[in-house]
Amino acid sequence: MATPESNARQVLGALLEDQLNEERKIKESLIQRGNAVVSSSGVLVALALGAASVSGRDPKGHLPATVTVLTIAALALFVAAAVTALTVSTPRRQSALSTQWLREVWDNSGPDPFSASHNARLDLLDSLRGTNRSAARLLLCSLALEVAAVSLLSLAVAAMLVQAGF
């Protein structure tokens, strides 16, 4: 018959495993979102350059200074957003269980190997959460840069339309 202590350990072990799995899912989600920012920034840069190219065919043959400055600033922000988003998926230092540690625990497992295993998983969870927090901050920064770039690009397009007499 299972003791209340062994039941508690099973429950705690399952909860900890669930938390580790959830953090791993969050990590994958952050990487996917970072890649989406990179892709969308690339598309928007292409659209910005296309708009500048079309407006450059203006009979006057030049873009107003305001449009040029806004477009260049928007392109710089798109590049910054993409670079920042790329860092979301860069490998980060994270705790890992060494095989040496596992051997030592296995060889010297006294009456309570659960505690050693539980503490190791807690360390892994702390490390993974720290990595995810860092990646989330980078992702938020890249999204803010992209929003700023879209805003500047929108102003540039509006300025082009005003210049063209629309």
Side-chain angles (χ1 to χ4, degrees), residues 9 23 50 60 71 82 106 137 153 162:
R9 288 180 175 208
E23 287 298 322
K60 298 176 187 175
T71 303
W106 179 262
R137 282 191 293 272
L153 190 57
V162 168

Side-chain angles (χ1 to χ4, degrees), residues 56-132:
R57 295 187 185 148
D58 175 17
K60 298 176 187 175
H62 69 282
L63 289 173
T66 305
V67 173
T68 302
V69 169
L70 288 172
T71 303
I72 290 171
L75 293 175
L77 288 174
F78 279 128
V79 170
V83 169
T84 305
L86 283 171
T87 62
V88 170
S89 60
T90 57
R92 288 186 174 64
R93 186 174 202 100
Q94 192 172 315
S95 292
L97 298 178
S98 73
T99 55
Q100 180 64 31
W101 180 86
L102 288 169
R103 281 188 191 97
E104 288 173 11
V105 170
W106 179 262
D107 292 340
N108 300 322
S109 60
D112 192 15
F114 172 82
S115 292
S117 171
H118 186 75
N119 288 333
R121 286 182 172 169
L122 285 171
D123 290 343
L124 288 173
L125 181 60
D126 283 340
S127 177
L128 190 54
R129 282 185 174 164
T131 300
N132 285 347

